[in-house]
Amino acid sequence: MRMLEEILHFNEQFVAEKKYEEFTTTKFPNKKMVILTCMDTRLVELLPRALNIRNGDVKIVKNAGALIMHPFGSIMRSLLVAVYQLQAEEVAIIGHYDCGMSGMKPDIVIEEMKKRGVSDDMLNTLNYSGIDVQEWLHGFDNVKDSVAHSVEIVKNHPLMPKDVPVHGLVIDPATGRLDSVIDGYEK
């Protein structure tokens, strides 16, 4: 069975057996927080358990590396929507040790792209159009510095209310231990 077929088959049973009922909540986070974290598979269940959050407690936004690459990109928009429309009163940026974005080499990714059909012409067109593909694919060298940088973007964003605490943390994907990088309550 292919992955999509497997998912749809399981989902049909999930709905028929009303297993969704235990997850019923509202769109507003109980703990009034929005978290930006990494999409790493090790964090899917570990992060919520390590933070004592359950379904409905927080809004979670995920991307590769918990990075905010552009102050007016989709990640920042999601954080602003959580604050202005979904009653989030605090923001937490949570990176993790041993992240795939740490020390990521754009050249390796670009070579993989080429193997899968992306041409040099396409890459040149993007570069000539003002998109620095190398920079766009660049990760970070130090997760704590990266988290601090994302916190600063959020905290100093012209549309983010100044009374919203923005915290920065790093989680160990093996143990769930949290290290505080920035305490958003301290001004």
Side-chain angles (χ1 to χ4, degrees):
M1 186 179 297
R2 294 166 70 179
M3 184 60 69
L4 180 59
E5 292 165 342
E6 183 180 320
I7 288 169
L8 291 173
H9 177 72
F10 176 86
N11 181 257
E12 194 175 311
Q13 292 175 321
F14 181 87
V15 173
E17 295 169 13
K18 297 186 178 186
K19 291 184 178 180
Y20 55 83
E21 290 176 344
E22 70 179 285
F23 302 103
T24 302
T25 187
T26 70
K27 64 182 178 180
F28 302 106
N30 298 326
K31 293 189 177 183
K32 310 273 187 216
M33 178 178 272
V34 57
I35 294 171
L36 169 61
T37 193
C38 186
M39 64 185 193
D40 191 293
T41 56
R42 296 171 291 178
L43 302 181
V44 171
E45 291 190 39
L46 177 67
L47 181 83
R49 291 192 184 180
L51 274 61
N52 190 32
I53 54 177
R54 307 234 183 294
N55 191 56
D57 280 348
V58 299
K59 292 292 183 187
I60 298 180
V61 179
K62 294 183 176 191
N63 73 357
L67 293 170
I68 299 176
M69 296 295 291
H70 192 285
F72 290 95
S74 64
I75 297 299
M76 193 64 220
R77 181 183 59 219
S78 295
L79 299 178
L80 289 166
V81 167
V83 168
Y84 284 109
Q85 291 291 298
L86 302 171
Q87 302 175 0
E89 297 173 357
E90 300 189 33
V91 177
I93 311 295
I94 305 177
H96 67 94
Y97 298 109
D98 190 33
C99 183
M101 292 298 287
S102 178
M104 189 171 91
K105 307 286 188 256
D107 290 336
I108 295 170
V109 178
I110 290 169
E111 282 308 310
E112 288 298 316
M113 289 176 174
K114 289 178 182 180
K115 287 179 189 174
R116 305 224 18 211
V118 176
S119 68
D120 282 324
D121 286 344
M122 177 56 68
L123 292 168
N124 289 334
T125 298
L126 291 171
N127 282 319
Y128 292 136
S129 299
I131 299 167
D132 184 341
V133 178
Q134 288 276 336
E135 181 60 28
W136 184 66
L137 289 172
H138 180 72
F140 52 82
D141 296 321
N142 180 296
V143 68
K144 288 182 178 182
D145 292 344
S146 176
V147 166
H149 177 73
S150 290
V151 166
E152 287 304 309
I153 289 174
V154 175
K155 197 164 108 175
N156 295 311
H157 196 280
L159 301 177
M160 182 61 68
K162 298 303 175 207
D163 63 343
V164 172
V166 184
H167 312 287
L169 302 123
V170 179
I171 189 168
D172 183 323
T175 67
R177 183 192 82 243
L178 286 171
D179 293 327
S180 180
V181 176
I182 295 176
D183 179 340
Y185 300 129
E186 296 175 358
K187 295 294 175 185

